[in-house]
Amino acid sequence: MDQQSGPQRRLPSACPSCQNRLTVRRLECSDCGTAVEGAFALPVLLRLTAEEQEFVTRFVGASGSLKQLAKEYGCSYPTVRNRLDALIERMATLGQDAEETDNGNE
Amino acid sequence: MNEQRGGVFRRLFNPFYTMAGGAALGTGLAVILATAFLAAMSHSHVDGVLDFHSGLDAPLWVYPFEGIVNWLSMALCVWAAGAIASKSRIRAIDVFGTQALARWPMLIAVVAALLPGYTRFSEALLTIVTDSRFARNPAAFGELLAEAGVRGIDIAMFGVTAVAVLVAIVWMVALMYRAYAVACNVRGARGAASFIPALLVGWVVSKIVILAVFYGTGALGATLPEPGTPLFDVGQKGSEYASLLTSGQFDEAVAQFDDVMARDIPADRLKTLWDGVAAPLGAFVGHGAPRVEQRGAMTSVYVPCIYETGRFDVQIVFDDGGKVAGLWNKNFRDGENNRPADAGSGGEAQ
């Protein structure tokens, strides 16, 4: 399948086999073919679900206004606020996991 | 955010997903006022966060006052609970708005209370439980209902309304919890553990405020008595009791005796005592104004009884529960020995 067309792929963050955290081993330039191999941790933002990433994108697009975001989603202010609080907690947990893994690798 | 079930189900059981803040507050207050208006039509009272009672007529301002007090009591308690239990920043407008909107199921209760059979049965019930015939013979309840003009369809309507009120209250409590969970971002065990005390405190506060205002203003036809005074109009009660005696209703008179009096003075002995005083004076003319004396927990009412050829005062002693603990007149005579007799232990010679 042509890599430039076809169905949109989403970057997985968890192993489909054992659900453990995935790391990036190889990055490749699509222009000159240069490849870089190593062990790169996925940033926290990329480890969020698609829905969570969309929320973050919309939040930034609304200049951080929860009121604006509530209007876009068609729900109430506290519903959006609660969603943001849950996301903050999740990102803190993912960040802690990443730190523990990095400390373990050292 | 598509994890919530949409449509009608969500609007009924979690309207706060889409409505909070000022919009919820405006809608909720409109619902509270509509509930008050409909409640006034059926004399129904939402006289506490979790209460619903019917039958008592009241000035129009009472009904919205009850609704506003219930809303504010609950909102303030939930706000305090959220401040303690939640890790999120809470907006007061969300708390007050969602708690106002959560009271909408009471509309179901007040609409159901408009059923004519419910009103008829409720009023009959209030009359029957204070009827001395029911006190003497509870099995006469059916006869008394029929006498009051209550039909089977009225009882059915009462049943329907009772179920509707119960459903409305349960639904409202569920919505109040959901409102708290959304506005304060508290769920699960922490949410339940903080909501239940808030609900109980809110309920108690609402009852205290509503009763204090009603008794303080006499809005429901009663005012708080001075400490130590009996919780009933003794003068009126004394006059009514004397009427039983002068009209020969000795069975009804004995029904209001306390345990000691009832044991010692059966109806036939009371008749003998009374007729011994009243019969020589001719036909009964009327009662004079009662005079009340308070001694400790006992209240004496002196009721002038005026007859064709004479008059006498009968002293009726009430205990603090409204029972007759003593009955005295200086001319009462023991039928066998013709010595002075007092009907009871609470009287004193005049």
Side-chain angles (χ1 to χ4, degrees), chain A residues 51 75-77 79 81-82 85, chain B residues 16-17 88-89 182-183 185:
Chain A
E51 195 180 295
C75 60
S76 63
Y77 177 96
T79 302
R81 196 266 332 277
N82 295 346
D85 287 344
Chain B
F16 319 109
Y17 179 77
S88 298
R89 282 171 62 180
V182 170
N185 196 19

Side-chain angles (χ1 to χ4, degrees), chain B residues 84 100 111 134 173 233 258 270 278 285 301 304 312 346:
Chain B
I84 296 167
V111 166
F134 178 71
V173 172
D233 181 347
D258 67 5
L270 179 61
V285 174
V301 184
F312 61 87

Side-chain angles (χ1 to χ4, degrees), chain B residues 62-286:
Chain B
V62 163
Y63 301 94
F65 173 77
E66 287 170 338
I68 297 294
V69 167
N70 293 333
W71 161 57
L72 284 177
S73 304
M74 197 58 208
L76 286 167
C77 290
V78 155
W79 194 20
I84 296 167
S86 176
K87 297 174 193 170
S88 298
R89 282 171 62 180
I90 302 169
R91 293 194 318 172
I93 189 78
D94 288 328
V95 173
F96 283 78
T98 53
Q99 286 300 321
L101 187 58
R103 297 199 65 83
W104 80 258
M106 293 315 287
L107 267 177
I108 298 172
V110 295
V111 166
L114 288 171
L115 288 172
Y118 169 78
T119 309
R120 209 171 292 130
F121 185 84
S122 300
E123 287 171 356
L125 210 56
L126 277 173
T127 307
I128 288 168
V129 296
T130 56
D131 192 317
S132 58
R133 289 174 292 172
F134 178 71
R136 284 201 308 275
N137 180 20
F141 181 72
E143 285 173 32
L144 293 170
L145 268 184
E147 194 178 294
V150 172
R151 304 159 298 168
I153 186 72
D154 298 330
I155 300 173
M157 286 189 196
F158 180 85
V160 167
T161 302
V163 169
V165 168
L166 187 61
V167 167
I169 291 175
V170 170
W171 195 343
M172 181 184 65
V173 172
L175 284 178
M176 288 198 290
Y177 171 73
R178 178 61 72 178
Y180 170 61
V182 170
C184 300
N185 196 19
V186 190
R187 281 178 176 77
R190 183 192 282 257
S194 51
F195 176 74
I196 291 169
L199 177 65
L200 293 173
V201 171
W203 180 42
V204 169
V205 166
S206 66
K207 292 298 292 186
I208 290 172
V209 170
I210 287 172
L211 289 175
V213 169
F214 285 174
Y215 277 113
T217 60
L220 297 182
T223 53
L224 271 175
E226 293 298 320
T229 57
L231 293 178
F232 51 90
D233 181 347
V234 278
Q236 174 71 21
K237 194 169 173 69
S239 293
E240 287 170 0
Y241 191 82
S243 294
L244 293 178
L245 298 170
T246 52
S247 61
Q249 298 180 64
F250 298 109
D251 286 336
E252 283 79 11
V254 166
Q256 294 191 35
F257 281 177
D258 67 5
D259 293 338
V260 173
M261 290 278 286
R263 187 191 65 215
D264 292 343
I265 312 292
D268 55 353
R269 184 173 181 226
L270 179 61
K271 181 179 188 317
T272 302
L273 286 171
W274 187 264
D275 288 348
V277 177
L281 299 179
F284 174 67
V285 174

